[in-house]
Amino acid sequence: MTDISAQHIASPEAKPAMIDPFGRMVSYLRVSVTDRCDFRCTYCMAEDMTFLPKKDLLTLEELDRLCSAFIAKGVRKLRLTGGEPLVRRNIMHLVRSLSRHLENGALEELTLTTNGSQLSRFAHELADAGVKRINVSLDTLDEAKFAEITRWGRLSQVMAGLEAAEKAGLKIKINAVALKDFNEHEIETLMTWAHGRGYDLTLIETMPLGEISEDRTDQYLPLSLVRQRLEEKYSLEPIPYKTGGPARYVEVSETGGRIGFITPMTHNFCESCNRVRITCTGTLFMCLGQEDAADLRAPLRASEGDELLSQAIDEAITRKPKGHDFVIGRNSAPSVSRHMSTTGG
Ligand code: SAM
Ligand code: SF4
């Protein structure tokens, strides 16, 4: 593989900012580096998923070039996601290469969202490359339920991954999707466990993305209800803490830990959206909850220089919509046909 680290260095100075028609500055990029995964979480994927042919994927060098173009335009936070980012072959090559933007100050944070299955293998390398914190998705601490929700996952593997991440000095945030009749009575246990280990916990409402085997109405649990139940036992103090994402945080006085609530369904957070997403084929989504997209692979491949790419990005930002309009109803089609694993969570 060629060395990509010497190319496309974004200068920290003189960045033309990406400002959308609603005055929101785009400073956060999420990159889905693969649509594949070693789990099949029931709310995320169908069991028999058809994945993209490998030839459609951007190479790691192309992903690096794309990310660097966004960094040159003012992106300060970059999150690698998927699918499962750590199952992409040679993913550490991309992470190490992108870390040059941390070293020169152009990028404030390089992080990733992972299911934790491969962390035992990669935690040290990630920390070495300048990754400081990671999000690990974990919806239950019960081994049998974990196997049920992920279909293919083993809880012990994720627990070993978390230990490796701690040893490597990575800060950990647990992401849990709140699911009716599944973990709704386990949220308190998850919280005390996470806070006891010094992890933040973020709760997420299920979003209607992609066809899955189940009815989403059976899975949907509004976080307003979860919060109300927690408030019966704990004092939740709203705090201004921000990580760049859409979560609103509270501090739990009794545990001293933080809980973030990501509430796309019950509380629209679009007015402060600073994010865009790219898929592993170079498609740019200006909103997780809308179909409109821009192809960046063609301008990326059309020339060695970044001029066409830069123009295509600028044009796409002018089309960033005001917000999503997710609806979950009995028998309703998904609001957006692509799965979360395509766009990247
Ligand atoms: N595989 C990695 C993981 O699970 O962390 C990264 C990709 S995953 C798509 C990112 C996040 O999206 C996970 O926290 C997952 O729980 C969440 N997610 C997946 N499908 C979702 C849906 N339909 N609604 C809400 N969150 C979802
Ligand atoms: Fe894989 Fe993450 Fe989707 Fe689960 S949520 S199937 S781990 S991409």
Side-chain angles (χ1 to χ4, degrees), residues 93-339:
H93 187 80
L94 177 66
V95 176
R96 276 193 299 271
S97 165
L98 288 173
S99 71
R100 72 191 184 278
H101 297 297
L102 290 172
E103 282 155 24
N104 74 9
L107 197 60
E108 211 171 279
E109 181 171 62
L110 176 61
T111 179
L112 83 165
T113 302
T114 172
N115 65 21
S117 69
Q118 309 298 317
L119 274 177
S120 301
R121 203 171 138 206
F122 290 117
H124 267 99
E125 272 187 87
L126 287 167
D128 258 10
V131 173
K132 298 243 174 321
R133 59 182 194 108
I134 53 172
N135 288 0
V136 180
S137 304
L138 181 61
D139 305 318
T140 176
L141 295 170
D142 179 292
E143 222 172 298
K145 284 170 86 173
F146 185 84
E148 181 193 333
I149 199 79
T150 60
R151 291 195 186 105
W152 295 3
R154 276 183 303 113
L155 182 63
S156 56
Q157 202 183 348
V158 176
M159 289 299 171
L162 285 169
E163 255 163 52
E166 271 188 52
K167 271 204 195 115
L170 294 170
K171 270 196 81 191
I172 296 165
K173 180 157 75 82
I174 301 293
N175 278 355
V177 178
L179 297 160
K180 189 156 82 179
D181 298 331
F182 178 76
N183 61 6
E184 71 173 291
H185 299 296
E186 210 196 319
I187 303 287
E188 184 185 339
T189 313
L190 267 170
M191 176 187 82
T192 46
W193 168 81
H195 290 177
R197 295 182 67 143
Y199 308 159
D200 285 344
L201 171 69
T202 295
L203 301 172
I204 312 172
E205 282 174 335
T206 47
M207 289 174 261
L209 302 172
E211 286 291 351
I212 53 170
S213 322
E214 312 184 9
D215 191 324
R216 292 201 189 267
T217 329
D218 297 333
Q219 298 184 323
Y220 175 60
L221 174 66
L223 284 184
S224 47
L225 182 62
V226 173
R227 186 168 175 156
Q228 199 183 318
R229 285 180 186 158
L230 283 173
E231 277 172 336
E232 285 166 14
K233 275 185 81 173
Y234 297 89
S235 33
L236 310 184
E237 197 59 47
I239 48 169
Y241 179 71
K242 279 266 154 214
T243 57
R248 285 158 209 255
Y249 282 89
V250 297
E251 193 170 276
V252 183
S253 310
E254 290 79 357
T255 62
R258 285 187 290 242
I259 304 191
F261 293 92
I262 301 188
T263 53
M265 305 308 295
T266 54
H267 183 118
N268 202 313
F269 47 51
C270 305
E271 69 275 8
S272 58
C273 181
N274 57 354
R275 293 172 292 289
V276 290
R277 296 171 152 87
I278 41 182
T279 69
C280 53
T281 55
T283 304
L284 174 68
F285 285 98
M286 289 73 85
C287 173
L288 177 65
Q290 300 283 357
E291 300 282 3
D292 189 29
D295 172 38
L296 298 183
R297 186 172 54 181
L300 180 78
R301 289 184 174 169
S303 70
E304 297 254 305
D306 285 345
E307 202 167 311
L308 291 174
L309 178 61
S310 173
Q311 277 168 16
I313 295 172
D314 289 345
E315 192 279 326
I317 298 299
T318 67
R319 287 192 277 128
K320 185 166 162 65
K322 194 163 181 197
H324 66 70
D325 23 55
F326 289 138
V327 186
I328 291 184
R330 181 87 40 205
N331 300 326
S332 59
S335 298
V336 164
S337 58
R338 59 186 191 276
H339 291 89

Side-chain angles (χ1 to χ4, degrees), residues 14-33:
K15 285 185 198 157
M18 291 179 285
I19 314 254
D20 80 1
F22 305 95
R24 298 168 299 188
M25 191 189 291
V26 175
S27 56
Y28 189 163
L29 178 67
R30 297 198 181 192
V31 186
S32 175
V33 296

